[in-house]
Amino acid sequence: MSQMIIKDKEMIRISPKDNKKLEYSTTNGRSWSTRFSGSSMGEFQDLNENGKELLAITSKGLYYSTTNGRSWSKRS
């Protein structure tokens, strides 16, 4: 299970304090900011990079993002 990935010079991770949030860092992990905070997708369980999109396995299914995790759509 991947809790953190590197994409386009950013580190993106599932928040260690709240697994319904994604955080990102442009400082190699020295500081973190919230990228996505939402409960409609459930809890993040896994992150993967798939070319131009991010994939997230959540407690409510598989989601994808083409905006580096700023917005998500359900993969059917």
Side-chain angles (χ1 to χ4, degrees):
M1 174 158 62
S2 180
Q3 298 288 313
M4 182 171 25
I5 60 171
I6 297 174
K7 177 135 172 74
D8 299 334
K9 299 182 182 179
E10 290 183 336
M11 298 172 81
I12 303 171
R13 73 178 182 182
I14 300 169
S15 171
K17 295 181 180 178
D18 182 353
N19 58 1
K20 292 182 181 177
K21 293 183 180 182
L22 291 182
E23 299 174 331
Y24 73 98
S25 175
T26 57
T27 61
N28 292 322
R30 289 187 295 276
S31 62
W32 294 89
S33 300
T34 299
R35 165 64 48 87
F36 179 83
S37 177
S39 61
S40 61
M41 294 172 52
E43 299 172 342
F44 285 96
Q45 299 171 346
D46 193 13
L47 287 177
N48 287 293
E49 180 185 2
N50 185 30
K52 295 186 178 192
E53 64 184 15
L54 298 181
L55 297 175
I57 298 173
T58 75
S59 58
K60 294 188 176 183
L62 178 63
Y63 288 79
Y64 70 96
S65 172
T66 56
T67 59
N68 284 352
R70 291 174 184 87
S71 61
W72 294 88
S73 299
K74 187 158 177 115
R75 173 74 31 99
S76 49

